[in-house]
Amino acid sequence: MTISRRKLIISGAAASAAAGGVFSTRFAGAAEEPALGAQPGAKPAASPVGDVVGKVTVGYQGWFACPGDGAPINGWWHWSRDMSRPPSPDNTTIASWPDMREYDATYPTAYQDLNGGGQATLFSSWDDQTVDTHFRWMAENNCDTAALQRFNPFGGEGATRDGMAEKVRAAAEKHGRKFYIMYDVTSWTQMQSQIKEDWTTKMSAYTSSGAYAVQNGKPVVCIWGFGFNDDGRPFEPAPCLDVVNWFKDQGCYVIGGVPTHWRTGQSDSRPGFLDVYHAFHMISPWMVGRISDVGGADHFYANVNGPDKADCDAHGIDYQPCVIPGDLQSGHRAHGDLMWRQFYNLTRLDVAGFYISMFDEYNEANQIAKTAETAAQVPAGSGIRALDEDGTSCSSDYYLRLTADGGRMLKGELALTPDRPTSPQP
């Protein structure tokens, strides 16, 4: 089972940027600070606070399944390379191990027992209690909105995708969260016609829920993957623009999950897509794999985020950059310093909101959901790192709490500060 969000590492050394002009804070309360990469004459985008503007959105995969959980896909979906066999060190897609203590249903794997004792088990997203638990964590940590990932639903995993949408709606309604459909067009060869069919016949019905995200009076939908320069997304600009305009004609507020270098049309972006990008109501460039330390975050702030924001402002587009906790397995997190630097830099830019990449991405080690705290909670011999991998003890919910504080700073409820206010232990 291919995982679509590829780590296309951008080459070039990250460097600290020089100071520039000043951006005002958009959501009341925070003091003004000098901003790097400020663009003269930039105008604020038009959209007021809604369910995505002024809010923290988390990407929600909901794509894990296990044999015996009742899911139509009936396999180790996204836990194993070969879904017919349980995950093990030589048959795995796992880069981080979840903290399993709050799941009612657990499924034994072929990993060795945990270092601290006990069987190495995993959860299934198909279990209602799993989704309920995840949305409870979102509510407890002020994650406002969940973007439910929806890959090609016309293949073998379609029935499971459909079922996950129902589960997410129920959990969002119960816990007072918002959600919206985020289509990922990777490897979807008949995307241009089928995405319209899927919205019309299935997904548009979810907009009747009070939990479905609305922005500017319009139901929110996101399309992730237009313009990416790789074989999995070979679409030309014309069919992509047709799809964006079709959703706008349906009365939707349309977000584009776009390449990192969308504005310049180079590196991870195909050239010739600028009209497509400018057709979106909101732009959210991808960031996983692009930075690995605070210096990289500052480099992006000055050279990418600042100019991106100015371009969006000039075209009346809302700018929702990705914030990543960092690849835990590669030792990028610096016990929260990398993530906080992004929150600080992007708040200074007056961005429209944050998109957290991702909530439950245990496959790329960029998850904020509860994660094994120490080696005792990780399978023996697996080589999987826990949250204390750099010697700093972190609670399993640390990155949820850090996200909550980043959201408070975005909204002006916490003074703008470069110093991380969140303790790794509560």
Short mmCIF file of all heavy atoms in Angstrom, two decimals, residues 44-99:
data_model
loop_
_atom_site.label_atom_id
_atom_site.label_comp_id
_atom_site.label_asym_id
_atom_site.label_seq_id
_atom_site.Cartn_x
_atom_site.Cartn_y
_atom_site.Cartn_z
N PRO A 44 -3.81 42.26 3.70
CA PRO A 44 -4.37 41.08 4.35
C PRO A 44 -5.44 40.45 3.47
O PRO A 44 -6.16 41.14 2.74
CB PRO A 44 -4.98 41.64 5.64
CG PRO A 44 -5.26 43.08 5.33
CD PRO A 44 -4.19 43.51 4.37
N ALA A 45 -5.51 39.12 3.47
CA ALA A 45 -6.56 38.44 2.73
C ALA A 45 -7.91 38.78 3.33
O ALA A 45 -8.02 39.21 4.48
CB ALA A 45 -6.32 36.94 2.75
N ALA A 46 -8.96 38.60 2.55
CA ALA A 46 -10.26 39.16 2.90
C ALA A 46 -11.03 38.34 3.93
O ALA A 46 -11.94 38.87 4.56
CB ALA A 46 -11.10 39.29 1.63
N SER A 47 -10.70 37.09 4.10
CA SER A 47 -11.58 36.21 4.87
C SER A 47 -11.54 36.48 6.36
O SER A 47 -10.46 36.59 6.95
CB SER A 47 -11.24 34.74 4.61
OG SER A 47 -11.46 34.42 3.26
N PRO A 48 -12.68 36.55 7.00
CA PRO A 48 -12.73 36.69 8.45
C PRO A 48 -12.53 35.35 9.12
O PRO A 48 -12.45 34.30 8.46
CB PRO A 48 -14.15 37.20 8.69
CG PRO A 48 -14.95 36.56 7.59
CD PRO A 48 -14.02 36.53 6.39
N VAL A 49 -12.45 35.35 10.45
CA VAL A 49 -12.34 34.11 11.20
C VAL A 49 -13.53 33.21 10.89
O VAL A 49 -14.68 33.67 10.82
CB VAL A 49 -12.26 34.41 12.71
CG1 VAL A 49 -12.35 33.13 13.53
CG2 VAL A 49 -10.97 35.14 13.03
N GLY A 50 -13.25 31.95 10.66
CA GLY A 50 -14.29 30.97 10.39
C GLY A 50 -13.86 29.62 10.96
O GLY A 50 -13.25 29.56 12.02
N ASP A 51 -14.12 28.56 10.23
CA ASP A 51 -13.74 27.24 10.71
C ASP A 51 -12.34 26.81 10.28
O ASP A 51 -11.82 25.81 10.76
CB ASP A 51 -14.77 26.19 10.26
CG ASP A 51 -16.10 26.35 10.98
OD1 ASP A 51 -16.11 26.95 12.07
OD2 ASP A 51 -17.13 25.87 10.45
N VAL A 52 -11.73 27.57 9.35
CA VAL A 52 -10.32 27.33 9.00
C VAL A 52 -9.48 28.59 9.16
O VAL A 52 -8.33 28.51 9.58
CB VAL A 52 -10.15 26.73 7.57
CG1 VAL A 52 -10.64 25.29 7.54
CG2 VAL A 52 -10.85 27.55 6.52
N VAL A 53 -10.02 29.75 8.82
CA VAL A 53 -9.29 31.00 9.03
C VAL A 53 -9.31 31.34 10.52
O VAL A 53 -10.36 31.33 11.16
CB VAL A 53 -9.90 32.14 8.21
CG1 VAL A 53 -9.25 33.48 8.58
CG2 VAL A 53 -9.72 31.87 6.72
N GLY A 54 -8.12 31.61 11.05
CA GLY A 54 -7.99 31.89 12.48
C GLY A 54 -8.01 30.66 13.35
O GLY A 54 -8.11 30.76 14.57
N LYS A 55 -7.87 29.48 12.74
CA LYS A 55 -8.01 28.23 13.48
C LYS A 55 -6.83 27.30 13.23
O LYS A 55 -6.03 27.48 12.31
CB LYS A 55 -9.31 27.53 13.05
CG LYS A 55 -10.57 28.34 13.34
CD LYS A 55 -10.77 28.56 14.83
CE LYS A 55 -11.92 29.51 15.14
NZ LYS A 55 -13.23 29.00 14.70
N VAL A 56 -6.77 26.27 14.07
CA VAL A 56 -5.77 25.21 13.94
C VAL A 56 -6.46 24.00 13.32
O VAL A 56 -7.40 23.44 13.89
CB VAL A 56 -5.17 24.83 15.31
CG1 VAL A 56 -4.24 23.62 15.17
CG2 VAL A 56 -4.44 26.01 15.92
N THR A 57 -5.99 23.61 12.15
CA THR A 57 -6.50 22.42 11.45
C THR A 57 -5.45 21.33 11.53
O THR A 57 -4.25 21.58 11.34
CB THR A 57 -6.81 22.74 9.98
OG1 THR A 57 -7.83 23.76 9.92
CG2 THR A 57 -7.29 21.51 9.23
N VAL A 58 -5.89 20.11 11.79
CA VAL A 58 -4.96 18.97 11.82
C VAL A 58 -5.33 18.00 10.69
O VAL A 58 -6.50 17.72 10.45
CB VAL A 58 -5.00 18.23 13.17
CG1 VAL A 58 -4.49 19.13 14.28
CG2 VAL A 58 -6.40 17.73 13.51
N GLY A 59 -4.31 17.54 9.99
CA GLY A 59 -4.54 16.52 8.98
C GLY A 59 -4.78 15.18 9.65
O GLY A 59 -3.98 14.74 10.47
N TYR A 60 -5.91 14.54 9.31
CA TYR A 60 -6.29 13.28 9.95
C TYR A 60 -6.33 12.17 8.92
O TYR A 60 -7.18 12.16 8.02
CB TYR A 60 -7.65 13.42 10.64
CG TYR A 60 -8.01 12.23 11.51
CD1 TYR A 60 -7.28 11.94 12.66
CD2 TYR A 60 -9.07 11.39 11.19
CE1 TYR A 60 -7.59 10.86 13.47
CE2 TYR A 60 -9.40 10.30 11.98
CZ TYR A 60 -8.66 10.04 13.11
OH TYR A 60 -8.97 8.96 13.92
N GLN A 61 -5.38 11.22 9.03
CA GLN A 61 -5.33 10.12 8.07
C GLN A 61 -6.48 9.13 8.29
O GLN A 61 -7.16 8.76 7.35
CB GLN A 61 -3.99 9.39 8.18
CG GLN A 61 -2.77 10.25 7.96
CD GLN A 61 -2.53 10.57 6.49
OE1 GLN A 61 -3.44 10.53 5.67
NE2 GLN A 61 -1.32 10.94 6.16
N GLY A 62 -6.63 8.64 9.52
CA GLY A 62 -7.67 7.65 9.79
C GLY A 62 -7.54 6.41 8.91
O GLY A 62 -8.54 5.80 8.53
N TRP A 63 -6.30 6.02 8.62
CA TRP A 63 -6.10 4.98 7.60
C TRP A 63 -5.46 3.70 8.13
O TRP A 63 -4.85 2.95 7.38
CB TRP A 63 -5.29 5.54 6.43
CG TRP A 63 -3.87 5.97 6.70
CD1 TRP A 63 -3.13 5.84 7.83
CD2 TRP A 63 -3.02 6.61 5.73
NE1 TRP A 63 -1.87 6.36 7.66
CE2 TRP A 63 -1.77 6.85 6.38
CE3 TRP A 63 -3.17 7.00 4.41
CZ2 TRP A 63 -0.70 7.46 5.74
CZ3 TRP A 63 -2.10 7.61 3.78
CH2 TRP A 63 -0.89 7.83 4.42
N PHE A 64 -5.63 3.44 9.40
CA PHE A 64 -5.06 2.21 9.96
C PHE A 64 -6.16 1.18 10.21
O PHE A 64 -7.23 1.50 10.74
CB PHE A 64 -4.36 2.52 11.29
CG PHE A 64 -3.20 3.46 11.13
CD1 PHE A 64 -3.31 4.78 11.52
CD2 PHE A 64 -2.00 3.03 10.57
CE1 PHE A 64 -2.25 5.66 11.37
CE2 PHE A 64 -0.93 3.91 10.41
CZ PHE A 64 -1.06 5.22 10.81
N ALA A 65 -5.89 -0.06 9.81
CA ALA A 65 -6.83 -1.15 10.05
C ALA A 65 -6.04 -2.41 10.42
O ALA A 65 -4.84 -2.50 10.18
CB ALA A 65 -7.70 -1.41 8.82
N CYS A 66 -6.76 -3.36 11.00
CA CYS A 66 -6.15 -4.61 11.43
C CYS A 66 -7.14 -5.75 11.14
O CYS A 66 -8.36 -5.56 11.25
CB CYS A 66 -5.86 -4.59 12.93
SG CYS A 66 -4.90 -3.16 13.51
N PRO A 67 -6.65 -6.93 10.79
CA PRO A 67 -7.56 -8.06 10.58
C PRO A 67 -8.39 -8.32 11.83
O PRO A 67 -7.88 -8.27 12.96
CB PRO A 67 -6.60 -9.23 10.29
CG PRO A 67 -5.36 -8.58 9.77
CD PRO A 67 -5.24 -7.29 10.53
N GLY A 68 -9.67 -8.57 11.63
CA GLY A 68 -10.56 -8.83 12.76
C GLY A 68 -11.25 -7.61 13.32
O GLY A 68 -12.06 -7.73 14.23
N ASP A 69 -10.96 -6.42 12.76
CA ASP A 69 -11.59 -5.21 13.28
C ASP A 69 -12.94 -4.92 12.64
O ASP A 69 -13.67 -4.03 13.07
CB ASP A 69 -10.68 -3.99 13.12
CG ASP A 69 -10.33 -3.69 11.65
OD1 ASP A 69 -10.86 -4.36 10.75
OD2 ASP A 69 -9.52 -2.78 11.42
N GLY A 70 -13.30 -5.68 11.61
CA GLY A 70 -14.57 -5.48 10.92
C GLY A 70 -14.50 -4.56 9.73
O GLY A 70 -15.50 -4.38 9.02
N ALA A 71 -13.36 -3.95 9.47
CA ALA A 71 -13.23 -3.05 8.33
C ALA A 71 -13.30 -3.83 7.03
O ALA A 71 -12.77 -4.94 6.93
CB ALA A 71 -11.91 -2.29 8.40
N PRO A 72 -13.97 -3.27 6.00
CA PRO A 72 -14.06 -3.98 4.72
C PRO A 72 -12.71 -4.33 4.11
O PRO A 72 -12.59 -5.34 3.41
CB PRO A 72 -14.82 -2.99 3.83
CG PRO A 72 -15.61 -2.14 4.78
CD PRO A 72 -14.76 -2.02 6.01
N ILE A 73 -11.68 -3.55 4.39
CA ILE A 73 -10.39 -3.80 3.76
C ILE A 73 -9.72 -5.05 4.32
O ILE A 73 -8.90 -5.68 3.66
CB ILE A 73 -9.48 -2.56 3.89
CG1 ILE A 73 -8.40 -2.59 2.81
CG2 ILE A 73 -8.90 -2.42 5.29
CD1 ILE A 73 -7.71 -1.27 2.60
N ASN A 74 -10.03 -5.42 5.58
CA ASN A 74 -9.63 -6.69 6.18
C ASN A 74 -8.14 -6.98 6.03
O ASN A 74 -7.72 -7.99 5.47
CB ASN A 74 -10.44 -7.86 5.59
CG ASN A 74 -10.25 -9.14 6.40
OD1 ASN A 74 -10.05 -9.08 7.61
ND2 ASN A 74 -10.31 -10.27 5.72
N GLY A 75 -7.32 -6.09 6.55
CA GLY A 75 -5.88 -6.31 6.50
C GLY A 75 -5.18 -5.31 7.39
O GLY A 75 -5.81 -4.45 8.02
N TRP A 76 -3.86 -5.42 7.43
CA TRP A 76 -3.05 -4.50 8.22
C TRP A 76 -2.81 -3.23 7.42
O TRP A 76 -1.70 -2.90 7.02
CB TRP A 76 -1.73 -5.16 8.61
CG TRP A 76 -1.86 -6.24 9.62
CD1 TRP A 76 -1.92 -7.59 9.39
CD2 TRP A 76 -1.94 -6.07 11.04
NE1 TRP A 76 -2.04 -8.27 10.58
CE2 TRP A 76 -2.06 -7.36 11.61
CE3 TRP A 76 -1.92 -4.97 11.90
CZ2 TRP A 76 -2.15 -7.57 12.98
CZ3 TRP A 76 -2.02 -5.17 13.26
CH2 TRP A 76 -2.14 -6.45 13.80
N TRP A 77 -3.85 -2.49 7.20
CA TRP A 77 -3.86 -1.30 6.34
C TRP A 77 -2.96 -0.22 6.92
O TRP A 77 -3.18 0.27 8.03
CB TRP A 77 -5.30 -0.82 6.22
CG TRP A 77 -5.61 0.19 5.17
CD1 TRP A 77 -5.07 0.30 3.92
CD2 TRP A 77 -6.59 1.23 5.28
NE1 TRP A 77 -5.66 1.34 3.24
CE2 TRP A 77 -6.60 1.92 4.05
CE3 TRP A 77 -7.48 1.63 6.28
CZ2 TRP A 77 -7.45 3.00 3.80
CZ3 TRP A 77 -8.33 2.70 6.04
CH2 TRP A 77 -8.31 3.38 4.82
N HIS A 78 -1.92 0.12 6.19
CA HIS A 78 -0.96 1.16 6.55
C HIS A 78 -0.06 0.83 7.75
O HIS A 78 0.78 1.64 8.11
CB HIS A 78 -1.63 2.52 6.73
CG HIS A 78 -1.99 3.15 5.43
ND1 HIS A 78 -1.08 3.83 4.66
CD2 HIS A 78 -3.15 3.16 4.73
CE1 HIS A 78 -1.67 4.25 3.55
NE2 HIS A 78 -2.92 3.85 3.58
N TRP A 79 -0.22 -0.34 8.32
CA TRP A 79 0.73 -0.78 9.34
C TRP A 79 1.82 -1.65 8.72
O TRP A 79 2.94 -1.71 9.23
CB TRP A 79 0.04 -1.58 10.44
CG TRP A 79 -0.85 -0.82 11.38
CD1 TRP A 79 -2.16 -1.11 11.69
CD2 TRP A 79 -0.52 0.32 12.19
NE1 TRP A 79 -2.66 -0.23 12.62
CE2 TRP A 79 -1.67 0.66 12.96
CE3 TRP A 79 0.63 1.09 12.36
CZ2 TRP A 79 -1.71 1.73 13.84
CZ3 TRP A 79 0.60 2.15 13.25
CH2 TRP A 79 -0.55 2.46 13.98
N SER A 80 1.48 -2.38 7.64
CA SER A 80 2.41 -3.32 7.01
C SER A 80 2.57 -3.00 5.54
O SER A 80 1.63 -2.52 4.89
CB SER A 80 1.89 -4.76 7.13
OG SER A 80 1.84 -5.18 8.46
N ARG A 81 3.74 -3.30 4.99
CA ARG A 81 3.90 -3.21 3.54
C ARG A 81 3.04 -4.28 2.86
O ARG A 81 2.41 -4.01 1.84
CB ARG A 81 5.37 -3.39 3.16
CG ARG A 81 6.25 -2.20 3.51
CD ARG A 81 7.59 -2.26 2.80
NE ARG A 81 8.30 -3.51 3.09
CZ ARG A 81 9.12 -3.69 4.11
NH1 ARG A 81 9.34 -2.69 4.96
NH2 ARG A 81 9.73 -4.83 4.29
N ASP A 82 3.06 -5.49 3.39
CA ASP A 82 2.21 -6.58 2.93
C ASP A 82 1.05 -6.68 3.91
O ASP A 82 1.21 -7.20 5.02
CB ASP A 82 3.00 -7.88 2.87
CG ASP A 82 2.16 -9.09 2.48
OD1 ASP A 82 0.93 -8.93 2.29
OD2 ASP A 82 2.73 -10.19 2.38
N MET A 83 -0.11 -6.19 3.51
CA MET A 83 -1.24 -6.12 4.43
C MET A 83 -1.73 -7.47 4.90
O MET A 83 -2.45 -7.56 5.90
CB MET A 83 -2.43 -5.39 3.77
CG MET A 83 -2.25 -3.92 3.59
SD MET A 83 -3.84 -3.08 3.37
CE MET A 83 -4.67 -4.14 2.18
N SER A 84 -1.37 -8.52 4.21
CA SER A 84 -1.85 -9.85 4.60
C SER A 84 -1.07 -10.41 5.78
O SER A 84 -1.49 -11.41 6.37
CB SER A 84 -1.75 -10.81 3.41
OG SER A 84 -0.40 -11.09 3.09
N ARG A 85 0.07 -9.79 6.13
CA ARG A 85 0.89 -10.28 7.23
C ARG A 85 1.02 -9.19 8.30
O ARG A 85 1.07 -8.01 7.98
CB ARG A 85 2.28 -10.68 6.73
CG ARG A 85 2.28 -11.83 5.74
CD ARG A 85 3.70 -12.29 5.42
NE ARG A 85 4.47 -11.29 4.69
CZ ARG A 85 5.58 -10.72 5.14
NH1 ARG A 85 6.04 -11.02 6.36
NH2 ARG A 85 6.23 -9.85 4.41
N PRO A 86 1.06 -9.58 9.56
CA PRO A 86 1.17 -8.57 10.62
C PRO A 86 2.48 -7.81 10.54
O PRO A 86 3.49 -8.33 10.05
CB PRO A 86 1.09 -9.40 11.91
CG PRO A 86 1.51 -10.77 11.52
CD PRO A 86 1.03 -10.96 10.11
N PRO A 87 2.49 -6.58 11.01
CA PRO A 87 3.73 -5.80 10.96
C PRO A 87 4.82 -6.42 11.81
O PRO A 87 4.56 -6.96 12.90
CB PRO A 87 3.31 -4.43 11.49
CG PRO A 87 2.03 -4.66 12.24
CD PRO A 87 1.37 -5.81 11.58
N SER A 88 6.02 -6.34 11.31
CA SER A 88 7.22 -6.86 11.97
C SER A 88 8.37 -6.00 11.48
O SER A 88 8.20 -5.22 10.55
CB SER A 88 7.43 -8.33 11.60
OG SER A 88 7.72 -8.45 10.22
N PRO A 89 9.55 -6.15 12.05
CA PRO A 89 10.66 -5.31 11.60
C PRO A 89 10.95 -5.41 10.10
O PRO A 89 11.45 -4.45 9.51
CB PRO A 89 11.84 -5.81 12.44
CG PRO A 89 11.21 -6.27 13.71
CD PRO A 89 9.91 -6.91 13.28
N ASP A 90 10.64 -6.54 9.46
CA ASP A 90 10.90 -6.66 8.03
C ASP A 90 9.63 -6.54 7.19
O ASP A 90 9.64 -6.79 5.98
CB ASP A 90 11.62 -7.97 7.71
CG ASP A 90 10.79 -9.20 8.05
OD1 ASP A 90 9.68 -9.05 8.61
OD2 ASP A 90 11.27 -10.32 7.77
N ASN A 91 8.52 -6.14 7.80
CA ASN A 91 7.27 -5.93 7.06
C ASN A 91 6.49 -4.81 7.75
O ASN A 91 5.52 -5.04 8.45
CB ASN A 91 6.43 -7.22 7.04
CG ASN A 91 5.10 -7.03 6.30
OD1 ASN A 91 5.05 -6.39 5.26
ND2 ASN A 91 4.03 -7.56 6.87
N THR A 92 6.96 -3.59 7.54
CA THR A 92 6.39 -2.49 8.31
C THR A 92 6.38 -1.19 7.53
O THR A 92 7.19 -1.01 6.61
CB THR A 92 7.18 -2.29 9.63
OG1 THR A 92 6.49 -1.36 10.46
CG2 THR A 92 8.60 -1.79 9.36
N THR A 93 5.46 -0.33 7.88
CA THR A 93 5.48 1.07 7.42
C THR A 93 5.53 2.00 8.63
O THR A 93 5.25 3.19 8.51
CB THR A 93 4.24 1.39 6.58
OG1 THR A 93 3.07 1.25 7.40
CG2 THR A 93 4.13 0.48 5.38
N ILE A 94 5.87 1.48 9.80
CA ILE A 94 5.80 2.22 11.04
C ILE A 94 7.14 2.92 11.32
O ILE A 94 8.19 2.28 11.34
CB ILE A 94 5.47 1.28 12.22
CG1 ILE A 94 4.18 0.52 11.95
CG2 ILE A 94 5.37 2.07 13.52
CD1 ILE A 94 3.94 -0.64 12.90
N ALA A 95 7.06 4.25 11.53
CA ALA A 95 8.26 5.00 11.90
C ALA A 95 8.19 5.49 13.34
O ALA A 95 9.22 5.85 13.91
CB ALA A 95 8.46 6.19 10.96
N SER A 96 6.99 5.56 13.92
CA SER A 96 6.82 5.90 15.33
C SER A 96 5.80 4.97 15.94
O SER A 96 4.86 4.52 15.26
CB SER A 96 6.34 7.35 15.50
OG SER A 96 7.39 8.27 15.43
N TRP A 97 5.97 4.68 17.23
CA TRP A 97 5.06 3.75 17.90
C TRP A 97 4.06 4.54 18.76
O TRP A 97 4.45 5.39 19.56
CB TRP A 97 5.85 2.79 18.79
CG TRP A 97 5.06 1.54 19.10
CD1 TRP A 97 4.29 1.32 20.20
CD2 TRP A 97 4.94 0.38 18.28
NE1 TRP A 97 3.69 0.07 20.12
CE2 TRP A 97 4.08 -0.53 18.94
CE3 TRP A 97 5.48 0.01 17.04
CZ2 TRP A 97 3.75 -1.78 18.42
CZ3 TRP A 97 5.15 -1.23 16.52
CH2 TRP A 97 4.30 -2.11 17.20
N PRO A 98 2.78 4.26 18.59
CA PRO A 98 1.78 5.00 19.39
C PRO A 98 1.78 4.58 20.85
O PRO A 98 2.15 3.46 21.19
CB PRO A 98 0.46 4.62 18.71
CG PRO A 98 0.72 3.29 18.06
CD PRO A 98 2.16 3.32 17.64
N ASP A 99 1.38 5.52 21.69
CA ASP A 99 1.08 5.20 23.09
C ASP A 99 -0.26 4.49 23.08
O ASP A 99 -1.29 5.07 22.74
CB ASP A 99 1.01 6.49 23.90
CG ASP A 99 0.61 6.25 25.35
OD1 ASP A 99 0.38 5.09 25.74
OD2 ASP A 99 0.52 7.23 26.11
#
